[in-house]
Amino acid sequence: MTLGHMRFVSVRAHAATAAPAGVTPGTTLAKMSTKSRSEPWQLAVMGDLHLAPEQMHLFHAARSHLLAAMSEEGKPVPGARVAQLGDLGHGKHASGSQRCFKFAKDFLDGFGVPYAMITGNHDLEGDEYETDEANLSAWKEVFDQPHYWSADLGSARLLGLSTVRYRSNENSHHEVYISHDQVQWLEGQLAEHPHTPFIVLTHAPPMGCGLKVIQEVHIKNRCAWLNHSQDPKRFLDIVSRHKNIKLWFSGHFHLSHNYPDSISTVGSTAFVQVGVIGECNRDGLRQSRLLRGTPSGYELFTVDHDTGATRLDLAADWADTAPPVPVTPADELLCDPSAGWLCSQMDCKVGDNIQGLVTWYPVGSETILALHDGGLLIEYDMATAAPIGLVTRVPEDCRLQPVTAQGSPCAREDGADVAEIRVLEADGSLREALPRNSAGAFYRVYQPNKWKLKRAQKQAQAQSLVAV
């Protein structure tokens, strides 16, 4: 069903063939789609907001920058649209609460153009809600939209997928989890429209996409990738089977657009990191994305929120089958290996130390360990070349010794006989022994679900008071 040129599926849709529900007049999404396939359009994509009252001068200026970039003769062009990738509120100001949602809605309404949103991990941490379902329901009520949806922008289709877990996550409460019904719906949309270019929005990126990631934060806590702890490879598998996914935007890391891997490509799909507007940036840069589309292709820009200037980063035709090539000026690119970020160096030889950045240790056919400059021992998935977890931090004067189950030196070149990694002091004494975990890998769970722990502590306190 189509209303206001908008197509979306309701949260009740389960099967790939389920009929989409109509949007009632007046909803946020009712005007998100453009009027025709031939109409040019512009989409401002904002990453994590983390709105704070004391920082609103930054957000109001950024809104002016984005509107100016989408305007002609002082007015937004008819095809001007806005998308926001989740994490609306600031931790100091009740993020995830109804008050937070209403505050964010006031800011987004101020654009004066159609907009659509998805949820991020911090959008489901409202203290006033006992369940993820109640928190998500409050979000949908305030913004008057479903948590996953599609809109037609000219000849392209824009899809938004949302995280639905926080309290119920298996491990880190900050893992971004896309539910099975959303994945089914995504597959159905792609199958039904094989010749339509798709643009996907998620809060975190898929594992294996190649975007820059923060090893000691999101990898350590195993909340970097979509569904990080439960079948994270399914999303890249979808990309490999559907060549019409042309762009995939994500935020989550609070990183700027100025790294060599702020845009990465897998096949003909470009994965795009989106920065932040406020003070929560990690590298001093405040940026958003601007996507301009026509029936034949697109141009992707960075909008700088210190100056309001735009910079072309990528351009391609929708019909291109070759990987799109970023055109970000080389003199604006950053590299900070000392911060523990590894820039796509899986093509090195095992055991080599590449420019002092990483030494590889084979541990079988599924994963491989990398000792980074700075002492982080990170485990990587071999199939996707993606980091999946932190093993430990190795002091500078220590060394690693992989051993078999019998404690003897490993003999196999592929490391399949490695049962334990030992961290040895300079004098050869044992500092730490790291056996394989229950999944057969070496990473450790450093961030259990803190919401569950906090709730268990409250229950224990309540029981102790009753006992007294």
Side-chain angles (χ1 to χ4, degrees):
M1 187 181 297
T2 303
L3 179 62
H5 306 285
M6 175 64 203
R7 299 185 186 95
F8 83 99
V9 68
S10 77
V11 296
R12 294 183 297 275
H14 298 292
T17 58
V23 181
T24 56
T27 61
T28 300
L29 286 173
K31 297 181 180 179
M32 190 66 184
S33 290
T34 55
K35 294 182 178 180
S36 72
R37 290 178 60 83
S38 60
E39 181 180 356
W41 49 270
Q42 301 193 40
L43 179 70
V45 184
M46 295 183 293
D48 305 34
L49 291 180
H50 296 292
L51 293 168
E54 66 273 15
Q55 296 180 36
M56 290 312 295
H57 63 288
L58 299 177
F59 292 96
H60 292 152
R63 186 171 62 193
S64 297
H65 298 155
L66 293 170
L67 285 171
M70 296 190 292
S71 295
E72 294 178 359
E73 300 180 355
K75 295 182 179 180
V77 298
R81 302 290 187 269
V82 171
Q84 199 280 320
L85 302 181
D87 277 11
L88 298 169
H90 195 288
K92 295 190 299 182
H93 300 285
S95 55
S97 67
Q98 187 179 63
R99 175 166 61 90
C100 162
F101 297 156
K102 290 181 177 179
F103 187 75
K105 186 176 186 300
D106 286 342
F107 170 70
L108 292 164
D109 286 348
F111 277 92
V113 302
Y115 66 87
M117 309 161 59
I118 56 174
T119 63
N121 47 298
H122 289 284
D123 295 321
L124 297 182
E125 64 181 10
D127 285 340
E128 65 217 69
Y129 308 107
E130 281 297 310
T131 66
D132 294 333
E133 292 78 10
N135 210 157
L136 183 60
S137 179
W139 181 94
K140 290 188 288 187
E141 180 179 355
V142 169
F143 294 107
D144 198 17
Q145 68 153 88
H147 62 287
Y148 62 104
W149 47 266
S150 70
D152 291 326
L153 302 181
S155 59
R157 176 158 289 195
L158 178 69
L159 269 68
L161 305 173
S162 283
T163 184
V164 297
R165 287 185 183 177
Y166 180 82
R167 301 156 188 80
S168 56
N169 270 331
E170 180 181 352
N171 290 310
S172 173
H173 47 299
H174 288 303
E175 180 179 336
V176 177
Y177 181 81
I178 306 300
S179 55
H180 182 62
D181 58 333
Q182 294 184 72
V183 177
Q184 281 188 309
W185 173 75
L186 170 63
E187 292 259 28
Q189 289 276 306
L190 293 164
E192 291 168 15
H193 306 279
H195 305 297
T196 297
F198 275 73
I199 305 161
V200 181
L201 309 177
T202 54
H203 183 68
M207 189 174 94
C209 68
L211 286 178
K212 178 174 290 300
V213 64
I214 304 176
Q215 310 283 24
E216 202 166 4
V217 179
H218 300 99
I219 295 301
K220 175 182 178 180
N221 295 329
R222 287 180 52 77
C223 61
W225 315 121
L226 295 175
N227 300 24
H228 196 132
S229 62
Q230 293 187 6
D231 195 15
K233 298 180 186 180
R234 68 188 307 182
F235 299 99
L236 208 65
D237 175 66
I238 291 172
V239 171
S240 70
R241 290 186 284 106
H242 297 281
K243 308 302 182 185
N244 54 331
I245 300 178
K246 295 300 180 179
L247 292 156
W248 193 308
F249 289 85
S250 60
H252 194 44
F253 299 147
H254 297 201
L255 293 172
S256 75
H257 309 168
N258 287 36
Y259 298 92
D261 42 5
S262 294
I263 298 175
S264 60
T265 57
V266 177
S268 59
T269 303
F271 293 90
V272 182
Q273 168 70 32
V274 183
V276 299
I277 291 173
E279 295 176 357
C280 61
N281 64 83
R282 299 183 187 275
D283 49 23
L285 297 173
R286 300 184 302 109
Q287 300 167 329
S288 296
R289 296 285 189 182
L290 175 65
L291 183 64
R292 291 175 176 159
T294 68
S296 60
Y298 67 85
E299 291 181 322
L300 176 67
F301 298 83
T302 283
V303 180
D304 183 273
H305 293 310
D306 285 326
T307 66
T310 60
R311 180 190 72 204
L312 180 65
D313 288 330
L314 191 68
D317 290 340
W318 297 120
D320 286 348
T321 57
V325 179
V327 294
T328 307
D331 61 353
E332 296 192 31
L333 294 177
L334 305 174
C335 189
D336 190 7
S338 64
W341 301 328
L342 180 63
C343 304
S344 304
Q345 299 190 48
M346 289 294 289
D347 57 346
C348 66
K349 294 179 180 178
V350 172
D352 280 1
N353 188 299
I354 304 298
Q355 299 176 348
L357 293 179
V358 60
T359 303
W360 300 96
Y361 293 86
V363 290
S365 61
E366 298 293 325
T367 66
I368 189 170
L369 304 185
L371 180 60
H372 291 247
D373 185 39
L376 294 181
L377 184 62
I378 303 290
E379 188 161 20
Y380 284 76
D381 174 66
M382 292 286 283
T384 62
I388 59 173
L390 173 67
V391 182
T392 190
R393 178 181 287 278
V394 182
E396 185 177 359
D397 57 349
C398 291
R399 62 185 177 88
L400 298 181
Q401 182 186 51
V403 298
T404 66
Q406 292 73 38
S408 57
C410 298
R412 294 188 53 159
E413 186 176 346
D414 65 358
D417 55 346
V418 177
E420 183 177 271
I421 299 294
R422 294 178 177 176
V423 182
L424 304 179
E425 301 280 6
D427 62 4
S429 60
L430 180 65
R431 176 186 177 89
E432 187 178 14
L434 300 156
R436 292 185 184 270
N437 58 32
S438 59
F442 286 95
Y443 64 80
R444 294 314 188 239
V445 175
Y446 286 93
Q447 188 179 70
N449 190 308
K450 292 181 180 179
W451 187 88
K452 290 181 179 179
L453 293 176
K454 184 177 180 180
R455 186 173 185 179
Q457 290 171 353
K458 286 184 177 180
Q459 291 175 341
Q461 291 172 354
Q463 290 175 355
S464 65
L465 290 175
V466 171
V468 172

